[in-house]
Amino acid sequence: MPLRSRPICQVCKEEESKYACSSCRANYCSVACYKQHKAFPSTDSVEDPKPLRPLTSLNWPYVPEESAYPDPLKRDDPKPLQLPQYEAIATSPAIRNALKSNPRLIELLTNIDKLRGVEREEALQRALGVDGRQLKNDVLRPRDLDEDTRALRTLAEAVEAAVRGGKEGALGLDWDD
């Protein structure tokens, strides 16, 4: 007698089973046995899989923690913001006042945000009044800053103050004025 590689059909108990019921994992061999099994379902059912955890229990959004051994070559590189810094920006009254006092600021930031790569950097430098070409010309003839540039600088200083969180000794913005 040859060895059977598959279990026997639990419905007809004659053939090797080729299938398993998705609700109770009972083995069956054919459509006829499947229909007969479904007509008289067993009370055994597969236990439910482990319930999913709520999203609030996950560490989301992921904010990478600072390394215990920072790379000295990257010491002066911009650091990614941490969750408390995002919260400080979102709740800063100085940022809210800067945005409220100059309604064109939101439009200006939206237009700059639509740009990508070098174009964005150049547009931001021009809007802040720190474009390299303009700085060379400013040495020869200083110019008055327009209202949008002053408002954008005020906003940038408010964001920096919120991110710095009272650490006055940290490097700050230098407008070369």
Side-chain angles (χ1 to χ4, degrees), residues 127-170:
L128 286 169
V130 294
D131 185 32
R133 295 175 304 239
Q134 288 179 349
L135 287 177
K136 291 176 187 171
N137 293 335
D138 286 349
V139 172
L140 300 175
R141 55 174 172 68
R143 61 180 172 77
D144 292 328
L145 299 175
D146 68 342
E147 186 180 338
D148 288 341
T149 302
R150 283 194 306 271
L152 192 57
R153 285 186 177 187
T154 303
L155 177 65
E157 290 165 355
V159 169
E160 183 182 22
V163 167
R164 201 177 322 122
K167 296 178 187 172
E168 295 302 325

Coordinates of all heavy atoms in Angstrom, one line a residue, residues 127-170:
A127 N 13.5 86.2 -2.1 CA 12.4 86.6 -1.2 C 12.9 87.1 0.1 O 12.4 88.1 0.7 CB 11.4 85.5 -1.0
L128 N 14.0 86.5 0.6 CA 14.6 86.9 1.9 C 15.6 88.0 1.8 O 16.0 88.6 2.7 CB 15.3 85.7 2.6 CG 14.4 84.6 3.2 CD1 15.2 83.4 3.6 CD2 13.6 85.2 4.4
G129 N 15.9 88.3 0.5 CA 16.8 89.4 0.3 C 18.3 89.0 0.5 O 19.1 89.9 0.9
V130 N 18.6 87.8 0.4 CA 20.0 87.3 0.6 C 20.6 86.7 -0.6 O 21.5 85.9 -0.5 CB 20.1 86.4 1.8 CG1 19.7 87.1 3.1 CG2 19.2 85.1 1.6
D131 N 20.1 87.0 -1.8 CA 20.6 86.5 -3.0 C 22.1 86.9 -3.2 O 22.4 88.1 -2.9 CB 19.8 87.0 -4.2 CG 20.2 86.4 -5.5 OD1 20.6 85.2 -5.5 OD2 20.0 87.0 -6.6
G132 N 22.9 86.0 -3.6 CA 24.4 86.3 -3.7 C 24.6 87.5 -4.6 O 25.5 88.4 -4.3
R133 N 24.0 87.6 -5.8 CA 24.2 88.7 -6.7 C 23.7 90.0 -6.0 O 24.4 91.1 -6.2 CB 23.4 88.5 -8.0 CG 23.9 87.3 -8.8 CD 23.0 87.1 -10.0 NE 21.6 86.9 -9.5 CZ 20.9 85.9 -9.8 NH1 21.4 84.9 -10.5 NH2 19.7 85.8 -9.4
Q134 N 22.6 90.0 -5.3 CA 22.1 91.2 -4.7 C 23.1 91.6 -3.6 O 23.3 92.8 -3.3 CB 20.7 91.0 -4.1 CG 19.7 90.9 -5.2 CD 18.3 90.7 -4.6 OE1 18.1 90.4 -3.4 NE2 17.3 90.8 -5.4
L135 N 23.7 90.7 -2.8 CA 24.6 91.0 -1.7 C 25.8 91.8 -2.3 O 26.3 92.7 -1.7 CB 25.0 89.8 -1.0 CG 24.0 89.1 -0.1 CD1 24.6 87.9 0.6 CD2 23.5 90.1 1.0
K136 N 26.3 91.4 -3.5 CA 27.5 92.1 -4.0 C 27.1 93.5 -4.4 O 27.8 94.5 -4.2 CB 27.9 91.4 -5.3 CG 28.6 90.1 -5.0 CD 29.0 89.4 -6.3 CE 29.5 88.0 -6.0 NZ 29.7 87.2 -7.2
N137 N 25.8 93.7 -4.9 CA 25.4 95.1 -5.3 C 25.1 95.9 -4.0 O 25.2 97.1 -4.0 CB 24.1 95.0 -6.1 CG 24.4 94.4 -7.5 OD1 25.6 94.4 -8.0 ND2 23.4 93.8 -8.1
D138 N 24.6 95.2 -2.9 CA 24.3 95.9 -1.7 C 25.5 96.6 -1.0 O 25.4 97.5 -0.3 CB 23.6 95.0 -0.7 CG 22.2 94.7 -1.1 OD1 21.7 95.3 -2.0 OD2 21.6 93.7 -0.5
V139 N 26.7 96.0 -1.3 CA 27.9 96.6 -0.7 C 28.1 98.0 -1.3 O 28.5 98.9 -0.7 CB 29.1 95.7 -1.0 CG1 30.4 96.3 -0.6 CG2 28.9 94.3 -0.2
L140 N 27.8 98.0 -2.7 CA 28.0 99.3 -3.3 C 26.9 100.3 -3.0 O 27.1 101.5 -2.7 CB 28.0 99.1 -4.9 CG 29.1 98.2 -5.3 CD1 29.0 97.9 -6.8 CD2 30.5 98.8 -5.0
R141 N 25.6 99.9 -3.0 CA 24.5 100.7 -2.7 C 23.5 100.0 -1.9 O 22.8 99.1 -2.4 CB 23.9 101.3 -3.9 CG 23.5 100.3 -4.9 CD 22.7 101.0 -6.1 NE 22.5 100.0 -7.2 CZ 21.6 99.0 -7.1 NH1 21.0 98.8 -6.1 NH2 21.5 98.2 -8.2
P142 N 23.4 100.2 -0.6 CA 22.4 99.5 0.2 C 21.0 99.9 -0.2 O 20.7 101.0 -0.6 CB 22.6 100.1 1.7 CG 23.8 100.9 1.6 CD 24.2 101.1 0.2
R143 N 20.1 98.9 -0.2 CA 18.7 99.2 -0.6 C 17.8 99.0 0.5 O 18.1 98.2 1.5 CB 18.4 98.3 -1.8 CG 18.4 96.8 -1.5 CD 18.1 96.0 -2.7 NE 18.3 94.6 -2.4 CZ 17.5 93.8 -1.7 NH1 16.4 94.3 -1.2 NH2 17.9 92.6 -1.5
D144 N 16.6 99.6 0.5 CA 15.6 99.4 1.5 C 14.9 98.1 1.2 O 14.6 97.7 0.0 CB 14.6 100.5 1.4 CG 15.2 101.8 1.9 OD1 16.1 101.7 2.8 OD2 14.8 102.9 1.4
L145 N 14.6 97.3 2.2 CA 13.9 96.0 2.0 C 12.4 96.3 1.9 O 11.8 97.1 2.6 CB 14.1 95.1 3.3 CG 15.6 94.7 3.5 CD1 15.6 94.0 4.8 CD2 16.1 93.9 2.4
D146 N 11.8 95.6 0.9 CA 10.3 95.8 0.7 C 9.6 95.1 1.9 O 10.1 94.3 2.7 CB 9.9 95.3 -0.6 CG 10.0 93.8 -0.8 OD1 10.7 93.1 0.0 OD2 9.4 93.3 -1.8
E147 N 8.3 95.3 1.9 CA 7.4 94.8 3.0 C 7.4 93.3 3.0 O 7.5 92.7 4.1 CB 6.0 95.4 2.8 CG 5.1 95.0 3.9 CD 3.7 95.6 3.7 OE1 3.6 96.6 3.0 OE2 2.8 95.1 4.3
D148 N 7.3 92.6 1.9 CA 7.3 91.2 1.9 C 8.6 90.6 2.4 O 8.5 89.6 3.2 CB 7.1 90.6 0.4 CG 5.6 90.9 0.0 OD1 4.8 91.1 0.8 OD2 5.4 90.8 -1.3
T149 N 9.7 91.1 2.1 CA 11.0 90.6 2.6 C 11.1 90.8 4.1 O 11.5 89.9 4.8 CB 12.2 91.3 1.9 OG1 12.1 91.1 0.5 CG2 13.5 90.8 2.4
R150 N 10.7 91.9 4.6 CA 10.7 92.2 6.0 C 9.8 91.2 6.7 O 10.1 90.6 7.8 CB 10.3 93.6 6.4 CG 11.4 94.6 6.1 CD 11.1 95.9 6.8 NE 9.8 96.5 6.4 CZ 9.6 97.3 5.3 NH1 10.6 97.6 4.5 NH2 8.4 97.7 5.0
A151 N 8.6 90.9 6.2 CA 7.6 90.0 6.8 C 8.1 88.6 6.7 O 8.0 87.8 7.7 CB 6.3 90.1 6.0
L152 N 8.8 88.2 5.6 CA 9.3 86.8 5.5 C 10.5 86.6 6.5 O 10.6 85.6 7.1 CB 9.8 86.6 4.1 CG 10.1 85.1 3.7 CD1 8.9 84.2 4.0 CD2 10.5 85.0 2.3
R153 N 11.3 87.7 6.7 CA 12.4 87.6 7.6 C 11.8 87.5 9.1 O 12.3 86.7 9.9 CB 13.3 88.8 7.5 CG 14.2 88.7 6.3 CD 15.2 89.8 6.3 NE 16.1 89.7 5.2 CZ 17.2 90.5 5.1 NH1 17.4 91.5 5.9 NH2 18.0 90.4 4.0
T154 N 10.8 88.2 9.3 CA 10.1 88.1 10.7 C 9.6 86.7 10.9 O 9.8 86.2 12.0 CB 9.0 89.2 10.8 OG1 9.5 90.5 10.5 CG2 8.3 89.1 12.1
L155 N 9.0 86.2 9.9 CA 8.5 84.8 10.0 C 9.6 83.8 10.2 O 9.5 82.9 11.1 CB 7.7 84.4 8.8 CG 7.1 83.0 8.8 CD1 6.1 82.8 9.9 CD2 6.5 82.7 7.4
A156 N 10.7 84.0 9.5 CA 11.8 83.1 9.6 C 12.5 83.1 11.0 O 12.8 82.1 11.6 CB 12.9 83.4 8.5
E157 N 12.6 84.3 11.5 CA 13.1 84.5 12.9 C 12.2 83.9 13.9 O 12.6 83.3 14.9 CB 13.3 86.0 13.1 CG 14.5 86.5 12.3 CD 14.6 88.0 12.3 OE1 13.7 88.7 12.8 OE2 15.5 88.6 11.7
A158 N 10.9 84.0 13.7 CA 9.9 83.4 14.6 C 10.0 81.9 14.6 O 9.9 81.2 15.6 CB 8.5 83.9 14.3
V159 N 10.1 81.3 13.4 CA 10.3 79.9 13.3 C 11.6 79.4 13.9 O 11.6 78.4 14.7 CB 10.2 79.4 11.8 CG1 10.7 78.0 11.6 CG2 8.9 79.6 11.2
E160 N 12.6 80.2 13.7 CA 13.9 79.8 14.3 C 13.8 79.9 15.8 O 14.3 79.0 16.5 CB 15.0 80.7 13.8 CG 16.4 80.3 14.4 CD 17.5 81.2 14.0 OE1 17.2 82.3 13.6 OE2 18.6 80.8 14.1
A161 N 13.2 80.9 16.4 CA 13.0 81.0 17.8 C 12.2 79.9 18.4 O 12.5 79.3 19.4 CB 12.4 82.3 18.2
A162 N 11.2 79.5 17.7 CA 10.3 78.3 18.1 C 11.1 77.0 18.1 O 11.0 76.2 19.0 CB 9.1 78.2 17.3
V163 N 11.9 76.8 17.0 CA 12.7 75.6 16.9 C 13.8 75.6 17.9 O 14.1 74.5 18.5 CB 13.3 75.5 15.5 CG1 14.3 74.4 15.4 CG2 12.1 75.2 14.5
R164 N 14.4 76.7 18.1 CA 15.5 76.8 19.1 C 15.0 76.6 20.5 O 15.8 76.0 21.3 CB 16.2 78.1 19.0 CG 17.6 78.1 19.5 CD 18.4 79.4 19.4 NE 18.2 80.1 18.1 CZ 17.7 81.4 18.1 NH1 17.4 82.0 19.2 NH2 17.5 82.0 17.0
G165 N 13.8 76.9 20.8 CA 13.2 76.7 22.1 C 13.9 77.4 23.2 O 14.0 76.8 24.3
G166 N 14.3 78.6 23.1 CA 14.9 79.4 24.2 C 16.4 79.2 24.3 O 17.0 79.8 25.1
K167 N 17.0 78.4 23.4 CA 18.5 78.3 23.4 C 19.1 79.4 22.7 O 19.3 79.4 21.5 CB 18.9 76.9 22.8 CG 18.4 75.7 23.6 CD 18.8 74.5 22.9 CE 18.2 73.3 23.5 NZ 18.4 72.1 22.8
E168 N 19.4 80.5 23.4 CA 19.9 81.7 22.7 C 21.3 81.6 22.2 O 21.7 82.3 21.3 CB 19.8 82.9 23.6 CG 18.3 83.2 24.0 CD 17.5 83.5 22.8 OE1 17.9 84.1 21.8 OE2 16.3 83.2 22.9
G169 N 22.1 80.6 22.7 CA 23.5 80.5 22.3 C 23.6 79.8 21.0 O 24.7 79.7 20.4
A170 N 22.6 79.2 20.5 CA 22.6 78.4 19.2 C 22.8 79.4 18.0 O 22.5 80.6 18.1 CB 21.4 77.6 19.0

